[in-house]
Amino acid sequence: MRKKLYKAGKIWVAGAATVAAISVGIGSVSADTVDNKTTSDVAVSNKTADATNGDKVVSSDDAQTSTGTAVNKDKSIVTAETKTDEVKNTTDVNKTTTVNDINTEVNENKSAIDVTKTTNDNPQKVDEKTDVNNPTNASKASTTTVEKLDDSVSKDLNSKTTVVTKNDDGTSTTNLTYANLKDVADNIASVNPNTSVPYFNADAIKNLPAMSTKDAQSGQTEDLDVWDSWALQDAKTGVTANYHGYNIVFALAGYPKEDNDQHVYMLYTKYGDTALNDWKNAGPVFGYDAKWDKQQWSGSATVNTDDTIQLFYTKTDQPNTVQRLSTANLSMSYSDSEVSVAKVTNDHELFAGDGEHYQTLQQWIDAGYYTTGDNFTLRDPHVIEVDGERYLAFESNTGTQNYQSDTAVDNMTYYGGTDDFNQKARETTLNDADKLKLSKKANGAIGLVKLTGAENNPTIDKVYSPLLAANGITDEIERANIVPLNGKYYLFTDTRLIKSVVPTVDADINVGMMGYVSDSLTGPYTPLNGSGSVITGTQLAESRTDTYSYYAVPVEGHNDLFLITAYMSNRNEKAGVGLNSTVAPSFLVQIGADGKTTKVLDTVLAQGTWIYNGKGSVAELVGTKETSNITGKKIGWVDNKFYINNKLANGYQYDYTNDANYLFKDGIRQSGVQSYDNTYYCFDPVTYKRVENEIRKATWGLEYYFGNDGRVKQGQFAVNGVAYDFGNDKTYYKRGYASGYLQDITDNSEWYWFESGQKYTGFRYYKDTYYFFETGARQENKWETAWGMKYYVGNDGRAVQGIQIIDGQAYDFGTNGTFNLKGTASGYLYSPSLSTANGGYNWFENGKPYTGFRYYMGTYYWFVDGIRQNAGWREAWGMKYYTDASGRALQGIQIIDGQAYDFGTNGTYNLKNAASGYLYSPEYSKANGGYNWFEDGKPYTGFRYYMGTYYWFVNGVRQNAGWREAWGKKYYTDGTGRALQGIQTIEGKQYNFGNDGTYYLR
């Protein structure tokens, strides 16, 4: 018989329960439908034992928390906590936890304390795959590390420690602490320039025109609010995708006056466009006739290998905001002018929590819904691909592995500061009933799951422990987003301080984006800037420029920038009638060289921009504190007239909503050829936009060219592949076609050869040589045929002359200025194009590289595949030879590798035999004048008679002054190595060596 799970106090026990209107996907909750109602089953095994803490025995009857606390010399604190919950109307169920190992580890520049929690029972191990339908017991072993931050990062912050739990599944969970969010509050209060959202010009903000569209629920055309949005991204890099020339964005939108109208719409514009008015709406992704109780919330999207789009989103059922991570496969239809969703398939739920790592709907219901201050979150799936595997990061709440607790306020680990800071934070929470209530239910988390199966129909493969947890601090950390950059992983999440236990100076300014960095997808994640505070709000909730839902994407071509998008919340027109929630101006965050610090830049981009074009700020949108709220100034288009700071525009002005330049007269756009700023411009008669890179005809019949800056140009140049003459007398009109080597200024200013305006094919003489052109383009490193002969043009495009090595063959092109191929080449050629080895000299025969000896300049050289060989033995014609370091074959007596050889002196160069005798051979040894004695090619040791006396040699080397022994007698050789005779004085003594030619000492 299947058992139902219900909550008795805080202990989950088997029993019966009924849950109404619940739809769940894969997870620890399995659904049955009975009488149109859904019931959920969860089975959890419980253990009963006594808990010990040191020598103290703690019974579950005490209804207290047993806490083991370790304090290091830096007063960083970590608390190992055992929750023994009050049990009502059930048998007591107790857990036994022993604090059995405290290890202090001191690393360079940091102190750490490890506290390991284990149960008396053998802890369960996590397999490669976690069974999401069978959560393990909450008493699983884990390790908590308190890491002291580097002083250079944390000296000005409340955060002094980063609390990290090392999980059995290989992940690490970083605590989002009270001190972290207190830093956010402090940054808001001080308007910290490094974190504050730039000020915008409220009067310049516009509703997104594309959101004037048919509503998914009513089918009526309405001006819809737009909130969270996410671009189609490359799952590997996070970069905004270029999908067949389009920038595609998904966004939540709905009718402003209907709270239960939130559905996913698809917007698009040409890739690279930044104009607000260029965005088009492809309608709701899941079609019309949508129901108020079946809504969608935010997610992410990427391109599959089959060119379909995989959309990840949140299915949300009302009225109880039942949330599940979900996905759908979108087959697309596109043309040069539009893109749309052709078909939605494989739309299904992915994950609804597993109970152990992440809270399920059933757990939330049994905890008392919103009525107890509890918040249920399971949303915002963000896809990232690592090493060919896809993962989802998402917002959730922790499960039984680290669940919410009535005693969370007493867990000092959750505060993350100094002892003094933590105690004051605890007292502040205890003294505020609302904050204390929130503390008991707070268990916000950023989770991670691994996907498996086909890209366009994935399922959950593995559930990991949370990457980020905010137990006791906040229930809501939104828009999970992991961005790979510079070999690291940056984790971002949005939060509202009013949803946390941390007090704020002004409750109406309480938003921020937190950021973390890790070398691994699975953590541990370190807070950026020491506290995680990356972006903080500056505006009151009722301000037109109040922003939220910050979302970071990497900027292609920049390894230190994130582009931040957001929306401006104006639900129910609280900032003014007709002012809808709309896309905010984007801005930039720069990552420091250390990879762990950030700074919000002053660069303000167009509303809804996902791509940074490097042009800098849109001047009209840059604001101050004073202009961040509506002042009533007319800016931009008002009643079909264009205003600049409340005045009708005159002259040449930029319109950021259309990303276009216009010429105005009393706010009205002008068209045609116009004189302005000492030159001429042309403005299209239909769009009124400044004409660029086009030839246009004026009303008086003459044609002119207007360049990429819009100014009229003169001279000879090509436009779209045709060359014209626009004169040089400042009349600018087109005379006719042009010839010669000219730039096509519409083709990246490339040079081409034109004849009578058309691109030419063939040879043309230019600057003392010939060049060959194909359809106007200069050719390089190619054979060409003309006038029945062959030519070759080199890497500078010039026709070559003389001896040339081409693709390893030698050719003769002559030197008489005709440039045509004469034939193949032979001989000793300097040809580094073939080989730079041994000086770059090579030998060719009839154009081909030669192998063997060839006689040149008084000696023989040895070649292999044309390349001259230097020092080494050679064999040819059945004989042996030796070539020296310059490649020349040797003659005479030569010492090679310590051996003496005779190569003769008759010009044959071949080895005759080994050499013997008194040889001058400094190559062998330079000692004692470089004279040596060899016998049959080998160095000799002993006396040898030469030129009327004896010399003494050791290993072939002549020895000079010194005593010698041979044949049982003693001898002495002088400073030139000669053996002495007669009476000799040596070192002050006289010796007799005789005078009979025997030389030995008498």
Side-chain angles (χ1 to χ4, degrees):
M1 182 180 73
R2 296 171 64 179
K3 298 283 183 76
K4 307 299 180 185
L5 188 71
Y6 71 97
K7 188 82 172 287
K10 293 180 193 168
I11 301 298
W12 294 90
V13 297
T18 301
V19 182
I22 304 172
S23 175
V24 293
I26 190 167
S28 62
V29 182
S30 58
D32 292 333
T33 303
V34 181
D35 297 330
N36 295 323
K37 295 185 178 180
T38 304
T39 60
S40 300
D41 294 349
V42 178
V44 176
S45 62
N46 301 295
K47 299 178 181 179
T48 304
D50 289 332
T52 63
N53 184 5
D55 296 321
K56 178 181 179 181
V57 178
V58 182
S59 170
S60 61
D61 296 333
D62 294 338
Q64 295 177 356
T65 299
S66 173
T67 305
T69 302
V71 183
N72 68 8
K73 64 181 180 180
D74 294 311
K75 297 185 178 180
S76 298
I77 296 179
V78 60
T79 303
E81 183 178 37
T82 304
K83 300 182 177 68
T84 308
D85 302 322
E86 180 183 358
V87 180
K88 297 180 180 179
N89 302 320
T90 67
T91 303
D92 287 349
V93 180
N94 306 319
K95 296 188 296 182
T96 299
T97 303
T98 302
V99 181
N100 64 354
D101 187 24
I102 300 180
N103 298 315
T104 302
E105 178 182 346
V106 180
N107 299 321
E108 183 179 359
N109 295 326
K110 63 175 69 174
S111 299
I113 293 180
D114 290 344
V115 178
T116 303
K117 299 189 296 181
T118 60
T119 62
N120 284 346
D121 299 296
N122 293 327
Q124 292 180 320
K125 294 183 178 179
V126 178
D127 296 328
E128 176 61 24
K129 292 187 177 181
T130 299
D131 185 352
V132 296
N133 290 304
N134 186 22
T136 55
N137 192 276
S139 60
K140 183 182 297 182
S142 62
T143 302
T144 301
T145 300
V146 178
E147 182 178 313
K148 185 174 182 294
L149 292 174
D150 183 82
D151 287 342
S152 64
V153 176
S154 63
K155 62 181 180 181
D156 296 325
L157 305 169
N158 298 307
S159 300
K160 303 301 181 189
T161 56
T162 298
V163 183
V164 175
T165 302
K166 299 176 182 177
N167 304 308
D168 291 345
D169 59 8
T171 61
S172 294
T173 303
T174 299
N175 278 25
L176 189 159
T177 66
Y178 187 108
N180 295 154
L181 289 189
K182 181 61 167 61
D183 287 331
V184 174
D186 290 348
N187 284 335
I188 291 173
S190 65
V191 195
N192 185 338
N194 290 331
T195 65
S196 294
V197 176
Y199 286 116
F200 306 122
N201 187 350
D203 291 316
I205 298 299
K206 306 296 181 184
N207 292 343
L208 178 59
M211 294 317 299
S212 179
T213 189
K214 287 175 62 177
D215 177 62
Q217 289 182 191
S218 69
Q220 302 297 313
T221 298
E222 304 283 1
D223 288 329
L224 303 183
D225 276 343
V226 60
W227 307 290
D228 298 2
S229 63
W230 60 97
L232 181 66
Q233 293 172 266
D234 184 326
K236 298 177 184 177
T237 65
V239 171
T240 302
N242 183 341
Y243 188 76
H244 300 282
Y246 290 100
N247 179 189
I248 293 178
V249 169
F250 298 91
L252 299 184
Y255 184 49
K257 297 179 181 179
E258 172 55 62
D259 286 335
N260 286 314
D261 183 7
Q262 300 181 37
H263 301 280
V264 177
Y265 291 74
M266 192 181 87
L267 304 168
Y268 64 94
T269 189
K270 288 291 185 179
Y271 190 84
D273 282 356
T274 61
L276 186 69
N277 291 345
D278 283 346
W279 285 98
K280 297 180 180 178
N281 198 323
V285 170
F286 297 98
Y288 295 97
D289 298 323
K291 306 302 181 185
W292 73 270
D293 58 340
K294 300 293 182 184
Q295 298 183 34
Q296 305 98 40
W297 286 0
S298 68
S300 60
T302 191
V303 183
N304 293 326
T305 53
D306 63 2
D307 202 45
T308 61
I309 290 176
Q310 199 63 29
L311 176 67
F312 298 93
Y313 70 101
T314 309
K315 283 191 176 183
T316 309
D317 295 347
Q318 296 297 357
N320 290 326
T321 63
V322 178
Q323 304 161 44
R324 291 93 69 210
L325 308 186
S326 304
T327 189
N329 183 247
L330 312 182
S331 297
M332 308 301 292
S333 175
Y334 52 86
S335 65
D336 290 338
S337 59
E338 63 180 21
V339 61
S340 61
V341 177
K343 183 170 61 174
V344 179
T345 56
N346 300 330
D347 181 16
H348 63 282
E349 298 170 11
L350 283 170
F351 188 59
D354 63 343
E356 176 195 359
H357 300 92
Y358 305 104
Q359 186 182 42
T360 64
L361 179 67
Q362 182 66 58
Q363 289 170 313
W364 176 66
I365 290 171
D366 289 338
Y369 294 88
Y370 285 118
T371 58
T372 62
D374 202 8
N375 187 14
F376 178 67
T377 66
L378 190 62
R379 57 181 181 254
D380 304 343
H382 175 81
V383 63
I384 182 172
E385 183 173 323
V386 179
D387 297 330
E389 302 285 353
R390 285 183 177 178
Y391 301 79
L392 290 180
F394 56 95
E395 178 192 3
S396 186
N397 301 104
T398 58
T400 56
Q401 186 187 55
N402 186 23
Y403 203 49
Q404 58 198 42
S405 168
D406 283 352
T407 59
V409 70
D410 298 319
N411 191 331
M412 306 312 286
T413 305
Y414 296 159
Y415 293 97
T418 63
D419 288 346
D420 182 61
F421 176 90
N422 295 344
Q423 290 297 337
K424 288 180 180 178
R426 176 179 175 274
E427 291 170 8
T428 299
T429 305
L430 286 170
N431 292 331
D432 187 321
D434 290 335
K435 296 295 185 182
L436 181 60
K437 180 179 179 181
L438 198 156
S439 166
K440 296 177 180 181
K441 300 298 181 180
N443 61 334
I446 297 298
L448 185 72
V449 293
K450 181 181 178 183
L451 300 177
T452 190
E455 285 182 340
N456 55 18
N457 193 22
T459 57
I460 299 297
D461 177 50
K462 185 176 181 180
V463 179
Y464 296 91
S465 297
L467 304 178
L468 193 66
N471 291 81
I473 305 302
T474 182
D475 235 7
E476 187 175 271
I477 41 180
E478 303 187 281
R479 300 222 70 188
N481 181 14
I482 300 179
V483 184
L485 190 70
N486 301 330
K488 297 181 181 297
Y489 296 89
Y490 288 87
L491 168 62
F492 298 105
T493 179
D494 297 337
T495 191
R496 298 179 187 271
L497 292 180
I498 57 172
K499 299 291 184 73
S500 78
V501 300
V502 177
T504 59
V505 175
D506 190 329
D508 278 341
I509 307 178
N510 68 92
V511 299
M513 183 177 84
M514 308 295 290
Y516 300 78
V517 62
S518 175
D519 292 328
S520 167
L521 176 68
T522 55
Y525 281 88
T526 300
L528 293 170
N529 305 313
S531 66
S533 180
V534 173
I535 294 174
T536 50
T538 58
Q539 299 301 300
L540 296 170
E542 63 269 16
S543 169
R544 176 55 167 159
T545 57
D546 178 42
T547 54
Y548 189 57
S549 192
Y550 308 107
Y551 191 85
V553 294
V555 178
E556 196 166 17
H558 298 266
N559 63 3
D560 64 343
L561 291 180
F562 289 114
L563 183 147
I564 309 297
T565 65
Y567 70 81
M568 289 183 164
S569 181
N570 192 33
R571 193 76 179 199
N572 297 321
E573 299 180 326
K574 61 186 176 184
V577 176
L579 305 180
N580 293 348
S581 292
T582 186
V583 289
S586 300
F587 56 96
L588 301 175
V589 166
Q590 186 172 41
I591 300 292
D594 58 4
K596 58 185 180 181
T597 54
T598 65
K599 177 179 176 59
V600 175
L601 301 183
D602 292 332
T603 306
V604 175
L605 309 178
Q607 288 179 249
T609 297
W610 285 87
I611 298 168
Y612 178 49
N613 57 18
K615 293 182 179 180
S617 291
V618 177
E620 289 81 359
L621 292 172
V622 177
T624 63
K625 184 176 182 180
E626 290 69 29
T627 67
S628 62
N629 291 298
I630 296 293
T631 64
K633 283 187 178 180
K634 294 180 179 179
I635 297 176
W637 293 104
V638 179
D639 297 330
N640 294 320
K641 290 188 177 182
F642 197 78
Y643 288 82
I644 303 293
N645 288 328
N646 230 28
K647 294 182 179 180
L648 287 169
N650 281 287
Y652 190 58
Q653 300 290 345
Y654 173 72
D655 171 19
Y656 67 92
T657 60
N658 289 302
D659 188 26
N661 293 281
Y662 301 112
L663 188 68
F664 291 97
K665 183 177 181 181
D666 295 330
I668 304 298
R669 292 179 294 188
Q670 306 299 295
S671 64
V673 177
Q674 300 284 340
S675 174
Y676 182 75
D677 194 23
N678 298 318
T679 189
Y680 292 94
Y681 294 85
C682 183
F683 299 90
D684 188 88
V686 176
T687 66
Y688 298 96
K689 290 184 179 181
R690 185 181 77 182
V691 172
E692 298 173 1
N693 301 316
E694 286 187 40
I695 296 174
R696 288 294 182 98
K697 182 180 287 187
T699 55
W700 48 90
L702 295 177
E703 291 182 284
Y704 302 84
Y705 178 76
F706 300 91
N708 57 11
D709 60 357
R711 293 170 175 257
V712 68
K713 296 192 178 301
Q714 63 179 358
Q716 291 187 333
F717 51 84
V719 179
N720 296 322
V722 180
Y724 303 97
D725 179 8
F726 292 93
N728 283 297
D729 57 0
K730 295 187 178 180
T731 57
Y732 303 105
Y733 69 89
K734 185 177 77 176
R735 272 75 168 160
Y737 297 113
S739 298
Y741 205 27
L742 304 172
Q743 279 183 304
D744 187 331
I745 59 178
T746 58
D747 184 15
N748 297 315
S749 295
E750 290 289 337
W751 290 82
Y752 298 96
W753 192 276
F754 294 89
E755 293 286 332
S756 299
Q758 302 303 306
K759 291 179 178 178
Y760 176 76
T761 296
F763 274 113
R764 276 295 179 261
Y765 193 78
Y766 181 73
K767 290 196 172 181
D768 302 323
T769 191
Y770 284 91
Y771 293 83
F772 194 87
F773 302 92
E774 287 185 8
T775 318
R778 189 183 82 181
Q779 303 301 294
E780 298 173 358
N781 298 316
K782 288 182 64 179
W783 287 98
E784 304 292 353
T785 300
W787 310 297
M789 291 176 283
K790 294 186 71 175
Y791 302 82
Y792 190 83
V793 290
N795 57 13
D796 58 358
R798 297 166 65 91
V800 300
Q801 291 193 95
I803 304 299
Q804 302 287 336
I805 311 299
I806 302 169
D807 297 329
Q809 304 289 306
Y811 300 94
D812 180 7
F813 292 91
T815 57
N816 61 355
T818 58
F819 300 95
N820 64 293
L821 176 64
K822 306 301 189 288
T824 57
S826 298
Y828 195 33
L829 307 178
Y830 177 68
S831 50
S833 61
L834 174 67
S835 172
T836 58
N838 305 332
Y841 288 95
N842 302 268
W843 194 280
F844 291 85
E845 293 280 335
N846 296 321
K848 299 184 180 302
Y850 178 74
T851 296
F853 274 119
R854 274 297 178 261
Y855 190 80
Y856 181 76
M857 297 292 286
T859 190
Y860 284 90
Y861 292 83
W862 180 259
F863 301 90
V864 174
D865 292 329
I867 301 171
R868 188 189 80 187
Q869 306 300 298
N870 288 355
W873 287 98
R874 319 296 171 199
E875 290 192 12
W877 309 299
M879 291 174 282
K880 296 184 72 173
Y881 303 81
Y882 192 86
T883 56
D884 66 11
S886 62
R888 298 167 62 88
L890 298 179
Q891 291 193 94
I893 304 299
Q894 303 290 337
I895 309 299
I896 302 169
D897 298 330
Q899 302 290 305
Y901 300 94
D902 181 5
F903 292 93
T905 57
N906 61 354
T908 57
Y909 297 93
N910 65 292
L911 176 65
K912 305 301 189 285
N913 48 49
S916 298
Y918 195 33
L919 306 178
Y920 177 69
S921 51
E923 297 86 357
Y924 175 68
S925 173
K926 295 180 180 180
N928 305 331
Y931 288 96
N932 303 269
W933 193 280
F934 289 83
E935 293 279 339
D936 293 325
K938 300 183 183 303
Y940 178 74
T941 296
F943 276 119
R944 273 295 179 260
Y945 189 81
Y946 181 75
M947 296 294 285
T949 189
Y950 284 90
Y951 292 83
W952 180 258
F953 302 90
V954 175
N955 290 327
V957 180
R958 189 189 79 187
Q959 306 301 297
N960 287 355
W963 289 98
R964 317 299 173 196
E965 289 190 13
W967 309 300
K969 301 183 183 298
K970 296 184 73 174
Y971 302 82
Y972 191 84
T973 55
D974 65 12
T976 62
R978 297 167 64 87
L980 297 179
Q981 290 192 95
I983 303 300
Q984 301 288 337
T985 299
I986 302 171
E987 297 180 350
K989 293 183 179 182
Q990 284 192 340
Y991 297 91
N992 182 10
F993 293 94
N995 286 297
D996 57 357
T998 58
Y999 299 94
Y1000 66 88
L1001 176 65
R1002 302 308 196 260

